[in-house]
Amino acid sequence: TITLNYTSPIFLTLLSTILLKEKFSARMMGAIVLGFVGIALLLRPTFSSDQWVVGLIGLGSGFFAACAYANVKKLGDAGEPEWRVVFYFSVVGTIGGALTQGVAGEFHPVTMQNLWPMLAVGLAAMLAQLAMTRAYHSGNTLLVGAFAYSTVIFAALAGWLFFDESLPPVAWLGMFIVIVSGLLAKRATSSDRAK
């Protein structure tokens, strides 16, 4: 499911063409697909016949993430400041999370012991969301989408460094491919601008 969520740059390529009227080269599309291959090698997903619903949920997550990124770009083009986009995203996310929590029926109260880690995670998430929103507002949508694959690399490296998780050689190969795909996407963007 996580791997299918990273189809968002592929969907973003299609949505950028349709909604944003952006043009992209075949080299950019190739770089994005190569990045997805790297993600697949890094995460090493497995599928069985009884997981098709979960797979569709992951694919839907990638599609709707691409829709959100395209809309963030459109909001930036319309002059909306990053802080306002992040504020309303947070409000909707908080309400959705509260409703989901109500349906799940399991609630963990905020205590002095878990308050500070929650505030630290919230602050880091807010800063990251502001940075990502600015990148989609002012940058090349497809290039930002291609570099979004790097989040998996940082997560894998953090697991390896801080939690002693082992990474097989195929995962290192996947990371290398993701890095190469990002460099190819940057090069394709520079070539497209030069034309």
Side-chain angles (χ1 to χ4, degrees):
T1 304
I2 298 296
T3 305
L4 291 174
N5 183 44
Y6 281 94
T7 57
S8 60
I10 296 169
F11 286 121
L12 187 58
T13 302
L14 301 172
L15 292 173
S16 294
T17 304
I18 296 167
L19 298 177
L20 305 175
K21 307 296 185 221
E22 291 184 354
K23 303 220 184 281
F24 63 92
S25 65
R27 287 173 37 179
M28 175 62 87
M29 186 61 189
I32 289 172
V33 170
L34 182 65
F36 181 74
V37 169
I39 292 296
L41 289 173
L42 178 57
L43 296 177
R44 298 173 315 282
T46 58
F47 293 102
S48 62
S49 59
D50 62 338
Q51 292 180 325
W52 66 272
V53 173
V54 176
L56 286 176
I57 291 170
L59 203 56
S61 173
F63 174 74
F64 287 116
C67 290
Y69 299 147
N71 282 304
V72 165
K73 178 66 171 177
K74 287 179 81 169
L75 287 169
D77 292 345
E80 289 294 328
E82 289 92 7
W83 66 267
R84 189 177 301 154
V85 174
V86 171
F87 173 77
Y88 284 110
F89 173 78
S90 300
V91 167
V92 170
T94 301
I95 293 169
L99 292 174
T100 304
Q101 200 65 30
V103 170
E106 187 177 341
F107 182 76
H108 300 281
V110 177
T111 64
M112 286 308 291
Q113 188 176 8
N114 64 19
L115 176 66
W116 298 110
M118 284 177 36
L119 288 175
V121 167
L123 179 63
M126 180 190 70
L127 294 174
Q129 196 67 40
L130 284 167
M132 185 182 73
T133 303
R134 173 164 285 194
Y136 276 107
H137 272 191
S138 58
N140 178 302
T141 310
L142 299 181
L143 182 62
V144 174
F147 278 113
Y149 285 141
S150 66
T151 58
V152 179
I153 293 175
F154 291 117
L157 290 175
W160 177 61
L161 289 171
F162 300 115
F163 302 107
D164 202 28
E165 293 177 358
S166 62
L167 293 173
V170 71
W172 292 101
L173 174 64
M175 283 190 260
F176 175 75
I177 289 173
V178 169
I179 292 167
V180 168
S181 76
L183 295 173
L184 290 173
K186 175 65 177 145
R187 192 171 204 178
T189 302
S190 301
S191 297
D192 290 345
R193 282 188 188 147
K195 291 178 183 177

mmCIF file of all heavy atoms in Angstrom, residues 20 40 49 81 92 94 98 114 155:
data_model
loop_
_atom_site.group_PDB
_atom_site.id
_atom_site.type_symbol
_atom_site.label_atom_id
_atom_site.label_comp_id
_atom_site.label_asym_id
_atom_site.label_seq_id
_atom_site.Cartn_x
_atom_site.Cartn_y
_atom_site.Cartn_z
ATOM 1 N N LEU A 20 -3.246 21.961 -15.055
ATOM 2 C CA LEU A 20 -2.350 23.111 -14.991
ATOM 3 C C LEU A 20 -1.821 23.525 -16.356
ATOM 4 O O LEU A 20 -1.111 24.519 -16.460
ATOM 5 C CB LEU A 20 -1.177 22.803 -14.038
ATOM 6 C CG LEU A 20 -1.565 22.366 -12.619
ATOM 7 C CD1 LEU A 20 -0.328 21.975 -11.830
ATOM 8 C CD2 LEU A 20 -2.329 23.474 -11.912
ATOM 9 N N ALA A 40 9.996 1.047 -5.378
ATOM 10 C CA ALA A 40 9.560 -0.356 -5.307
ATOM 11 C C ALA A 40 10.698 -1.255 -4.829
ATOM 12 O O ALA A 40 10.482 -2.165 -4.023
ATOM 13 C CB ALA A 40 9.044 -0.813 -6.671
ATOM 14 N N SER A 49 -3.488 -12.256 -3.620
ATOM 15 C CA SER A 49 -4.791 -12.072 -4.266
ATOM 16 C C SER A 49 -5.838 -11.469 -3.329
ATOM 17 O O SER A 49 -6.786 -10.845 -3.782
ATOM 18 C CB SER A 49 -5.288 -13.397 -4.819
ATOM 19 O OG SER A 49 -5.400 -14.350 -3.770
ATOM 20 N N PRO A 81 -1.319 32.690 0.045
ATOM 21 C CA PRO A 81 -0.060 32.483 0.771
ATOM 22 C C PRO A 81 0.035 31.063 1.331
ATOM 23 O O PRO A 81 -0.980 30.426 1.617
ATOM 24 C CB PRO A 81 -0.116 33.516 1.900
ATOM 25 C CG PRO A 81 -1.561 33.852 2.056
ATOM 26 C CD PRO A 81 -2.220 33.624 0.724
ATOM 27 N N VAL A 92 -8.801 20.885 8.223
ATOM 28 C CA VAL A 92 -9.527 19.762 7.627
ATOM 29 C C VAL A 92 -8.959 18.429 8.113
ATOM 30 O O VAL A 92 -9.703 17.500 8.450
ATOM 31 C CB VAL A 92 -9.501 19.856 6.083
ATOM 32 C CG1 VAL A 92 -10.022 18.575 5.448
ATOM 33 C CG2 VAL A 92 -10.302 21.050 5.614
ATOM 34 N N THR A 94 -7.398 17.853 10.954
ATOM 35 C CA THR A 94 -7.750 17.666 12.368
ATOM 36 C C THR A 94 -9.188 17.190 12.512
ATOM 37 O O THR A 94 -9.478 16.267 13.276
ATOM 38 C CB THR A 94 -7.529 18.978 13.145
ATOM 39 O OG1 THR A 94 -6.163 19.355 13.031
ATOM 40 C CG2 THR A 94 -7.897 18.822 14.604
ATOM 41 N N ALA A 98 -10.298 13.586 13.894
ATOM 42 C CA ALA A 98 -11.198 13.464 15.047
ATOM 43 C C ALA A 98 -12.397 12.577 14.710
ATOM 44 O O ALA A 98 -12.808 11.744 15.521
ATOM 45 C CB ALA A 98 -11.657 14.847 15.499
ATOM 46 N N ASN A 114 3.182 12.572 27.063
ATOM 47 C CA ASN A 114 3.182 12.518 25.606
ATOM 48 C C ASN A 114 2.945 13.877 24.939
ATOM 49 O O ASN A 114 2.964 13.977 23.719
ATOM 50 C CB ASN A 114 2.170 11.488 25.090
ATOM 51 C CG ASN A 114 0.734 11.830 25.432
ATOM 52 O OD1 ASN A 114 0.392 12.960 25.744
ATOM 53 N ND2 ASN A 114 -0.131 10.816 25.387
ATOM 54 N N ALA A 155 13.511 8.221 5.406
ATOM 55 C CA ALA A 155 12.882 7.329 6.383
ATOM 56 C C ALA A 155 13.687 6.041 6.544
ATOM 57 O O ALA A 155 13.904 5.561 7.664
ATOM 58 C CB ALA A 155 11.449 7.013 5.963
#
